[in-house]
Amino acid sequence: MNAATGLVEVRVPDLGNFKDVAVIEVLVKPGDSVGVDTPLVTLESDKAAMDVPSTASGVIEKIHATKGGTLNSGDLLATLRADGAGAPAAAAPAPAAAAAPPATSPAASAAPAARPAPPPQAAPAPPPAAAPPAERSGGKLVPLSQLGVPTSYRQDLAPIDEPGFSRAHAGPSVRRFARELGVNLAQVAGHGFKDRITHEDVKAFVKHVLGGGAPAAGAAAGGAAARPALPEVPPVDFAQFGPTALEPLSRIQRISGSRLHASWVNIPHVTQFDEADITELEQLRASLKDKAQAAGVKLTPLAFIMRACVKALQEFPRFNTALAPDGANLIVRKYLHLGFAADTPNGLVVPVVRDADRKDIYALARALGTLADKARQGKLAPADMQGGCFTISSLGGIGGTAFTPIINAPEVAILGVSRSSMRPIYKEGGFVPRLMLPLSLSYDHRVIDGAMAARFTTFLAHTLAEARALLEAVL
Ligand code: CAO
């Protein structure tokens, strides 16, 4: 302390090799009373965040740091009027002042005011198990019960993942707060400066869990164990970049959107690509066109693909299973209903052709045509879209060379079909023009391994190439 003025300077402690460390929070303002160890600012380097505590008690006279600025070891951080210091010494010089060593002497620089602050702390250890969770608010610990937070909510939280917790973008006081609440910071989206996690974010996360919003520990859909919450995409104010309009999603889009999302995040998808030579299949289809028309059926490639899929599913029954909710068993279906994705003005729907294994190619084509018409007219009944075992998504009538379809859970695989094209294929010592159909099979890797998926698409390609066998009668 400067005995003449009663002022104490607090400086930035030794920061080691860190230079120009960002100030991401200024925690006090002039007039605030602080004690030894009261955090004054939060600094953040590339690797760590730390609160810099006061080294003296008193009232803040001036803060020399600004949020968004930088600091280095030894920089002046704050000036305090020390406790017990009255008016400035100049106005009321102390009797001993004459005897005091000059301010520039080594003795003066060793005075308490210049004592270096303690080194930055590592993330504090969690509180003892018996300690009731509490929130640090303005330096005071407030029991969570006073905040209306039942302590049993911890059952809903996934255990803290330490590496993820330590990587989280949060200051020490937020880390401490999160530990007190048992919150895994790795799951919390930050909305502070530079997306830093704030106390409010932690509170919002707890509220979300209490409201049943976050994934709970225990079995989830598909039999998986506890999973961390998904990081959220922060909302954007688009108006700042240009004019916008709000367009509601259709009811079908809203329903299918959340189902697709659930499938995408719950199922480990892998997509196997292959191609089938359908040169003969197309010749056959063209030759049957009149006969089919006379029977009132449009024989599109999809009917052949369906028939080939039935054969592949019979050959590889693993593809006609569902993972039991306990995650330890497979439900093996003894029936075969095939779904197909249909593009309608209102969005994507998946009608189901029942007992596809008991239908020949014409019956399949008829069911396909009827259901596709109903889908486009918005006339599908709920029963028309239930009970599917495996889905085909054909974009062949539109275009594209390959895609990665999302599995229609609880099914375990989906076949994507893209547009066929005539390509030069090397065969028996020369190039020949062949009509090639791209296949994209997405599968649930918990149920199907890569070798089986490759066998499935190889079998399917072979079956499509041998098109005549697809015309056989089905008993
Ligand atoms: N390669 C080349 N041409 C193809 C083809 C392929 N793989 N598949 C179909 N075609 C052709 C058909 O032969 C038909 O041509 P012709 O009239 O000259 O015979 C034309 O494309 C249109 O076929 P279609 O679409 O009427 O009939 P379909 O049985 O092939 O498909 C249906 C029916 C309902 C699946 C389709 O209309 C549809 O909605 N597809 C979109 C599916 C979709 O959106 N999937 C994505 C889901 S994820 O967002």
Side-chain angles (χ1 to χ4, degrees):
M1 178 172 72
N2 184 323
T5 61
L7 296 178
V8 178
E9 288 182 345
V10 178
R11 292 185 176 271
V12 177
D14 185 2
L15 299 174
N17 292 331
F18 293 118
K19 301 267 179 279
D20 299 325
V21 182
V23 179
I24 57 167
E25 261 175 82
V26 176
L27 305 166
V28 291
K29 57 184 184 316
D32 284 356
S33 289
V34 296
V36 174
D37 286 344
T38 300
L40 301 178
V41 294
T42 306
L43 305 183
E44 186 169 77
S45 72
D46 290 346
K47 299 201 173 65
M50 67 199 87
D51 280 349
V52 178
S54 177
T55 51
S57 60
V59 176
I60 301 280
E61 188 82 8
K62 188 169 182 190
I63 282 284
H64 303 273
T66 49
K67 184 172 166 175
T70 57
L71 288 171
N72 286 293
S73 301
D75 281 354
L76 182 59
L77 186 54
T79 308
L80 270 68
R81 180 162 306 284
D83 278 346
T104 52
S105 76
S109 63
R115 172 167 66 94
Q121 292 174 334
E135 186 197 3
R136 190 173 297 277
S137 166
K140 281 191 296 184
L141 286 175
V142 180
L144 281 179
S145 52
Q146 281 181 23
L147 297 171
V149 179
T151 49
S152 61
Y153 82 97
R154 278 171 188 258
Q155 293 162 4
D156 296 322
L157 296 173
I160 288 182
D161 134 48
E162 287 301 335
F165 189 101
S166 65
R167 277 195 304 273
H169 187 36
S173 65
V174 172
R175 288 175 184 281
R176 206 156 39 228
F177 183 43
R179 288 230 180 248
E180 285 164 358
L181 297 178
V183 168
N184 182 7
L185 281 181
Q187 302 178 343
V188 181
H191 296 93
F193 182 62
K194 287 193 187 171
D195 296 335
R196 186 177 163 76
I197 301 168
T198 64
H199 283 84
E200 295 311 314
D201 292 326
V202 176
K203 285 185 210 165
F205 178 85
V206 170
K207 272 188 202 149
H208 186 59
V209 172
L210 285 169
R227 295 193 182 92
L230 288 173
E232 286 173 21
V233 177
V236 171
D237 174 16
F238 296 101
Q240 64 184 308
F241 306 117
T244 59
L246 212 55
E247 197 175 286
L249 291 175
S250 71
R251 199 181 62 84
I252 288 177
Q253 283 170 326
R254 289 201 303 273
I255 295 169
S256 62
S258 77
R259 296 216 174 125
L260 288 165
H261 187 201
S263 172
W264 182 252
V265 298
N266 282 296
I267 299 179
H269 282 66
V270 179
T271 304
Q272 169 75 18
F273 300 106
D274 210 329
E275 55 184 5
D277 182 338
I278 59 163
T279 317
E280 271 143 39
L281 186 155
E282 275 302 282
Q283 287 163 359
L284 187 63
R285 195 173 73 89
S287 71
L288 294 171
K289 207 171 172 185
D290 291 345
K291 185 183 167 196
Q293 237 166 17
V297 183
K298 187 178 178 198
L299 210 48
T300 62
L302 190 52
F304 287 84
I305 295 165
M306 278 200 153
R307 182 74 193 120
C309 281
V310 166
K311 289 180 166 237
L313 288 160
Q314 288 168 333
E315 184 75 14
F316 299 94
R318 182 56 83 101
F319 285 75
N320 189 8
T321 64
L323 199 56
D326 62 6
N329 290 286
L330 285 178
I331 296 161
V332 182
R333 299 186 191 88
K334 302 293 181 187
Y335 55 87
L336 212 170
H337 307 328
L338 274 188
F340 66 96
D343 181 32
T344 79
N346 289 323
L348 171 72
V349 289
V350 183
V352 174
V353 176
R354 302 193 86 75
D355 298 315
D357 54 333
R358 289 196 243 145
K359 291 184 165 68
D360 68 9
I361 200 109
Y362 296 100
L364 284 173
R366 187 171 292 111
L368 242 172
T370 308
L371 286 166
D373 281 349
K374 274 173 97 174
R376 289 187 197 109
Q377 292 163 25
K379 289 188 177 158
L380 285 174
D384 291 330
M385 295 179 279
Q386 287 168 0
C389 306
F390 178 89
T391 297
I392 303 170
S393 176
S394 171
L395 292 172
I398 302 168
T401 53
F403 63 110
T404 53
I406 297 180
I407 296 164
N408 189 15
E411 296 166 19
V412 295
I414 180 169
L415 179 73
V417 180
S418 300
R419 192 167 189 78
S420 58
S421 61
M422 199 56 94
R423 299 230 319 276
I425 301 294
Y426 194 75
K427 250 187 175 181
E428 294 158 10
F431 283 99
V432 285
R434 305 297 293 178
L435 188 63
M436 303 304 290
L437 178 74
L439 305 172
S440 309
L441 177 82
S442 292
Y443 57 92
D444 182 338
H445 212 338
R446 296 170 302 178
V447 179
I448 294 159
D449 59 30
M452 188 185 280
R455 287 192 188 103
F456 184 95
T457 55
T458 302
F459 179 92
L460 190 61
H462 183 76
T463 306
L464 287 165
E466 305 286 320
R468 203 153 280 280
L470 296 172
L471 296 179
E472 68 197 355
V474 175
L475 301 174

